[in-house]
Amino acid sequence: MTIRPLEIQHAAEICDWVYEPPYDIYRWPSWEHMQKDEIEFGDPVLRALQYIAIVDDSSALIGFAQLFPMTGVTRLGLGLRPDLCSLGLGPAFSRLVALEARRREPQHEIDLEVLAWNTRAVRAYERGGFRITDTYARPSQSGYAECHCMVFEPKDQND
């Protein structure tokens, strides 16, 4: 897995991804809508500053990440291509992104939020070096949902 800038073709591809329920809540609007309304990676400035693509050896898109800057923290948003979910890539994928965030902002804590019901992602993040530090309710598309905050704390301190 290699990190690259998130290009327009990657962004358009991500908008075509379809996840199985209940993970379908992670589906993005159409690329045309994202660009027109400058939503997240549809905004070229935000895409260049905060988004990265993760590709395989043949440059095929595996997933993407947002490195969202906060005061003293870089919050990660992660997305793995739907056909690659549940294949065991999650720990290495999340660890790679966390290490890139640490490389860019070494003084920052690296964290992410994950819906508590998404045990598949929670397990992958734990195996990637994250641990749950807080659980709270936050607004979601369907009202309030229980969410975990997970902080990157790898066992190997050389990371």
Side-chain angles (χ1 to χ4, degrees):
M1 289 185 269
T2 305
I3 293 173
R4 298 276 184 254
L6 187 73
E7 304 291 346
I8 288 175
Q9 65 271 20
H10 297 135
E13 181 179 336
I14 291 164
C15 290
D16 289 336
W17 289 354
V18 178
Y19 294 93
E20 296 290 322
Y23 306 102
D24 54 342
I25 65 165
Y26 298 114
R27 177 129 197 221
W28 291 94
S30 72
W31 176 233
E32 294 74 24
H33 181 142
M34 297 277 290
Q35 284 184 301
K36 180 177 73 64
D37 293 344
E38 295 186 331
I39 299 168
E40 295 293 337
F41 52 78
D43 175 338
V45 173
L46 193 61
R47 183 174 61 249
L49 291 174
Q50 295 184 13
Y51 283 89
I52 56 175
I54 295 81
V55 299
D56 67 14
D57 291 340
S58 64
S59 296
L61 185 63
I62 293 172
F64 71 95
Q66 180 182 23
L67 285 66
F68 183 78
M70 299 166 61
T71 303
V73 175
T74 299
R75 175 150 296 159
L76 306 181
L78 304 170
L80 189 62
R81 200 173 74 210
D83 64 310
L84 298 177
C85 292
S86 297
L87 298 180
L89 296 174
F93 179 84
S94 61
R95 184 179 191 82
L96 176 71
V97 172
L99 291 172
E100 176 64 12
R102 179 176 281 166
R103 183 190 69 76
R104 292 180 181 203
E105 295 289 349
Q107 74 284 9
H108 277 197
E109 178 176 87
I110 310 301
D111 77 5
L112 56 80
E113 289 182 319
V114 59
L115 292 167
W117 62 260
N118 192 348
T119 55
R120 177 175 79 178
V122 170
R123 282 191 310 269
Y125 300 149
E126 286 174 335
R127 291 193 311 265
F130 289 82
R131 74 174 185 84
I132 296 171
T133 58
D134 196 10
T135 302
Y136 44 86
R138 67 176 267 255
S140 74
Q141 296 170 341
S142 58
Y144 278 86
E146 187 173 76
C147 182
H148 297 308
C149 180
M150 300 183 75
V151 174
F152 185 59
E153 296 179 353
K155 291 182 177 125
D156 182 354
Q157 293 307 310
N158 293 325
D159 287 336

